[in-house]
Structure formats: structure tokens, C-alpha cells
Amino acid sequence: MEKRLRFPHQFLSITKGKELNDYRVKKFKLHDFFDAFVSSCEVKMRKPDPGIWKLAMGIAQVQPNQCVYF
């Protein structure tokens, strides 16, 4: 079993498509780099809806001033 890489910060991905994302996560082993994935089609919110950002912050248990978006 492979070990997950650890970083001093959390990394979350907010994306829009489930099937393609699942494929990419598996193919490129993105679970080694990201702590969580939020798919807009699963949570019924899209960027720039503030709700999707609040959901991601809730998952990460952080405040807005602790986040970086790119």
C-alpha cells in the first residue's frame, strides 16, 4: 500500500464534472496530493456560488483568511 504524501497545508479541489474527475484522480493518483475533492454536480452548487466555498472550508475546517484560491 502506498503512503499518501503529507504537506503542512490542506489541498482541496473544487471541480465541475464527476466522471472525468474520477478518471483523472485515479489515473494521476491525485489522492496523493489532495485532501478532498468537491464536485459541483454532486453538491448542486457551482463556482462562484459562495456556498461551494463555504462547503470546502467546512470540510477543511478553516476560515476564509486561511484559504488561497487559484
Side-chain angles (χ1 to χ4, degrees), residues 3 12 14-15 22 25 28 30-31 35-36 40 50-51 56 58 69-70:
K3 284 187 175 181
L12 279 74
I14 300 175
T15 57
D22 289 347
V25 168
F28 300 109
L30 297 178
H31 278 293
D35 297 290
S40 64
Y69 164 77
F70 59 93

Side-chain angles (χ1 to χ4, degrees), residues 6-67:
R6 295 291 175 196
F7 299 100
H9 304 288
Q10 293 183 67
F11 292 91
L12 279 74
S13 172
I14 300 175
T15 57
K16 61 182 175 181
K18 174 134 177 54
E19 291 80 18
L20 183 56
N21 288 338
D22 289 347
Y23 168 77
R24 289 176 179 160
V25 168
K26 187 175 182 178
K27 177 165 177 65
F28 300 109
K29 300 180 181 179
L30 297 178
H31 278 293
D32 291 345
F33 301 98
F34 288 88
D35 297 290
F37 299 87
V38 177
S39 180
S40 64
C41 65
E42 290 185 325
V43 299
K44 307 295 189 249
M45 291 181 273
R46 294 174 41 178
K47 297 182 267 185
D49 181 338
I52 200 163
W53 304 107
K54 290 177 184 177
L55 176 67
M57 287 186 293
I59 292 168
Q61 298 182 350
V62 296
Q63 297 298 313
N65 65 339
Q66 298 172 292
C67 299

